[in-house]
Amino acid sequence: MTELQSIKTDYPSRMKKILDEAWEVFKWQFRNGTFNVEIDNEAGFQFYFASTIKRIGEMRVCSNEDFYLEVETKWGVPSGKGSERIDITCGFKEDNRKIYACAIELKFFKTEHTFTSKMFKAYQDIAALDKRVNANGEEGVTRYSEGRFYLITDSESYKKKNAYKTKADDYPEFGLVEKTVKYVRYHDNRETKLPQELHLTKEYEVEWDPSDGQSDWYFLEIDITK
């Protein structure tokens, strides 16, 4: 009975198993072209990955629990000032109340996309997740117990290069090589716009999927936790 109760309340472990399995299944299907359409943008990535997470999550619930999944979830911005949206949110519910929640952001980059601006967009998502897991308030509404960032790209540059590697010293490098950085300063036209800045609470490990030698695509997962 003690073991069963431990399993029931060990939400981080169960969430990790759900997301790890869903990510492996999705990558296998993507590489082997088993989806009924070709995925060539973020919308397709979101739809099929969300479906996979939901299917696997529903198999890992205990009695009196439900696994929920939503897409394009509004997050914590006062009414009338617009809302941030989260690509995927999921977690466990009891009596229709969210008791453990995860926020997920996705990016799908192709070689022809502008490298530095896309790298900054990736960091915007990472910073947003960092903010959400360090927020206070209601679980699954204004705060999330954990976050995940996933990236698919056909460009090896995202694995090996930093943005602003040869730029001015006051624009520090930022990339997805081994770890994220805590501070990013960027803008696309220094003469006409103020720079944008991002601050993360800590560096996060960057986990690229090892290449299987049979695919031109690269897959990244970053675990965003306190």
Side-chain angles (χ1 to χ4, degrees):
M1 189 67 163
T2 302
E3 183 179 356
L4 179 60
Q5 184 63 26
S6 176
I7 292 171
K8 181 176 174 62
T9 57
D10 186 11
Y11 303 117
S13 177
R14 277 197 283 155
M15 182 63 74
K16 176 174 170 50
K17 289 178 180 179
I18 290 166
L19 295 177
D20 285 353
E21 185 174 350
W23 188 224
E24 289 303 315
V25 169
F26 177 86
K27 287 185 294 184
W28 192 93
Q29 291 182 298
F30 184 94
R31 284 171 171 149
N32 290 279
T34 63
F35 299 114
N36 58 5
V37 298
E38 180 183 357
I39 298 177
D40 61 357
N41 55 44
E42 190 174 306
F45 181 14
Q46 180 189 43
F47 176 81
Y48 283 99
F49 189 38
S51 299
T52 305
I53 295 170
K54 188 173 190 298
R55 185 168 67 250
I56 293 171
E58 288 174 344
M59 295 188 288
R60 289 193 177 273
V61 292
C62 299
S63 59
N64 300 320
E65 277 183 356
D66 292 300
F67 185 82
Y68 80 92
L69 184 141
E70 302 167 355
V71 296
E72 299 299 326
T73 305
K74 291 183 179 181
W75 181 78
V77 177
S79 177
K81 296 182 180 180
S83 296
E84 292 183 23
R85 291 185 179 269
I86 307 171
D87 288 334
I88 301 171
T89 57
C90 61
F92 300 98
K93 281 184 175 182
E94 283 187 0
D95 299 323
N96 208 35
R97 180 177 64 87
K98 296 172 183 177
I99 53 177
Y100 191 86
C102 177
I104 297 171
E105 294 289 358
L106 313 172
K107 282 288 179 276
F108 190 99
F109 295 155
K110 291 187 176 181
T111 301
E112 63 266 22
H113 292 161
T114 306
F115 177 76
T116 300
S117 65
K118 293 301 178 185
M119 184 69 80
F120 183 71
K121 289 183 181 299
Y123 262 85
Q124 285 180 309
D125 278 359
I126 295 166
L129 290 170
D130 179 88
K131 179 173 61 176
R132 292 158 189 160
V133 301
N134 285 283
N136 297 313
E138 185 179 351
E139 181 72 9
V141 179
T142 55
R143 70 171 296 274
Y144 287 82
S145 292
E146 61 180 271
R148 290 289 191 283
F149 174 77
Y150 295 95
L151 168 65
I152 300 176
T153 181
D154 62 350
S155 172
E156 196 176 17
S157 294
Y158 290 95
K159 290 183 64 174
K160 295 185 174 182
K161 291 173 57 179
N162 288 328
Y164 287 125
K165 189 171 184 180
T166 60
K167 300 294 182 179
D169 291 341
D170 61 338
Y171 283 79
E173 294 182 44
F174 61 100
L176 298 169
V177 179
E178 294 181 355
K179 292 182 178 181
T180 63
V181 299
K182 292 176 65 175
Y183 171 69
V184 174
R185 188 167 188 252
Y186 164 83
H187 74 69
D188 54 3
N189 187 333
R190 298 184 187 182
E191 294 180 359
T192 60
K193 296 181 180 179
L194 293 174
Q196 300 177 70
E197 295 183 315
L198 298 173
H199 297 268
L200 278 66
T201 58
K202 65 179 184 179
E203 297 177 339
Y204 293 99
E205 296 288 337
V206 170
E207 296 183 22
W208 286 97
D209 187 62
S211 174
D212 60 2
Q214 300 176 357
S215 173
D216 294 328
W217 293 91
Y218 304 92
F219 302 85
L220 169 67
E221 177 186 27
I222 299 178
D223 183 355
I224 310 292
T225 55
K226 273 190 176 182

